[in-house]
Amino acid sequence: GIIKHNTDGSLVHRRLRLPSACVSGGVNLWSILSANIGKDLSKVAMPVQLNEPVNTLQRLCEEMEYCHLLDTAAQTQDPHMRMVYIAAFAVSMYACTFTRAGKKPFNPVLGETYECEHPDKGFRFISEQVSHHPPVSACHCESKNFTLWQDVRWRNKFWGKSMEIVPMGTTHIVLPCFGDHYEMNRVTSCIHNILSGQRWIEHYGEMTIKNNATAEDTIICKVTFLKSKARSLNTNDVEAVVTDSEGHVIHSLFGKWNEALYLGDPPLAICIWRTNPMPEDYEQYYGFTQFTVELNELNESMKSFLPPTDTRFRPDQRLLEEGDIAGAEEQKERIESVQRERRRILQESNMTHTPRFFKWSEDDSWISNGTYWQLREDPGFRNLEFPVLW
Ligand code: PIF
């Protein structure tokens, strides 16, 4: 591993790989899917072998890997160029999915939380599972240069050979130094060859990025994720145009969401963003990037600060990470029944669940209630009560 400095000057260990490689084989997805035809798949408990050792709360944090683009945007005077960096960031959010078509993330239990302080990237991030059916994960990320929040809600459509994931919800990015407030939608993701052959993932559709701060002088960026005709043809291409308030094209961009994004026209185009190199042996380790490998690491020094609801304490995900499939499956089933029991008690007393760190806002999104980091410091999560999730 490597040793890095925390914001408070303390040292933190960062591992370079997961404790165990992915154990392959063993699940017959076809028998699961055919037994549940017509059902909402999010209501079917899947075998743990289908999972990778990160959950959807951590997946949201993965999307921050290239947040230096937001820092650059916050240092760019020209509003059209600022939009270029925001668009590059929006495309970069999909990069990590390229090597990840084989497995699905863990579905967090209701009330599960995750935090990530990233001193070298200058942000701190929190997320919480705010709804179980349908599954909704909300997050909030802040640094001196930007604030980002979003929640992930989706519908899936199973087409036999492939599965489409249609996302809902809006991603918000605020740059306080300019008063910018960008809003963008997500595009559709599709997992091909879900039952046989090589699984691969594709993203397609149009994303519109708008800066809400400037109502009458709107700069818009339209990002198109192109659908490929065949696996090898123009795969993963994206195109984007930034237009001014009169609709004139000011900038155009092209590239691939799994590789790089360029500004201008070839051969004079300049590279705005490129993916980081993958770690050695990444195929054996769930296709994780170095950034992802670190997300579920549990350091001794963190244990006293984290709330007991933090994903790092979730036993089934930890056991899967360590390569113990049988143990992970046993724990997954146990945790699911604990959750059902909590739900039953709530229903019997005619109560509904209230998220701890997020609240529903009028503008149709989950936003932070602003208490997490404050409570973490004083009185500290050790001195607060939490439900027993596992
Ligand atoms: C369980 O979740 P799983 C079910 O929700 C189950 O209904 C519930 O019991 P309850 C359990 O408590 C849950 O643990 C099912 C479903 C959940 C996600 C979100 O983890 C990520 O067993 C999906 O899984 C993104 O999964 C996919 O949702 C991107 O995990 C790749 O619907 C799915 C995914 C479909 C499988 C795709 C396979 C691709 C390789 O009694 O409370 O209802």
Side-chain angles (χ1 to χ4, degrees), residues 312-380:
R312 292 178 187 83
F313 293 124
R314 185 168 163 165
D316 51 353
Q317 190 173 319
R318 183 65 62 199
L319 287 166
L320 180 73
E321 188 186 277
E322 290 164 355
D324 179 355
I325 306 282
E329 184 60 43
E330 193 185 317
Q331 288 297 319
K332 181 174 184 284
E333 286 169 20
R334 188 184 63 80
I335 292 165
E336 288 169 348
S337 67
V338 169
Q339 172 167 245
R340 281 179 204 120
E341 186 56 19
R342 282 209 324 277
R343 182 168 64 216
R344 192 184 60 78
I345 292 168
L346 213 60
Q347 274 166 358
E348 278 175 3
S349 46
N350 263 325
M351 302 210 306
T352 50
H353 172 83
T354 311
R356 186 88 176 233
F357 303 109
F358 286 83
K359 60 184 182 198
W360 181 249
S361 121
E362 309 278 277
D363 74 348
D364 194 42
S365 66
W366 285 96
I367 60 170
S368 161
N369 67 15
T371 61
Y372 187 94
W373 297 103
Q374 212 183 319
L375 291 173
R376 187 187 196 267
E377 200 179 307
D378 181 25

Side-chain angles (χ1 to χ4, degrees), residues 72 97 134 215 234 241 290 325:
T72 307
T97 63
N234 303 335
V241 285
Q290 178 54 38
I325 306 282

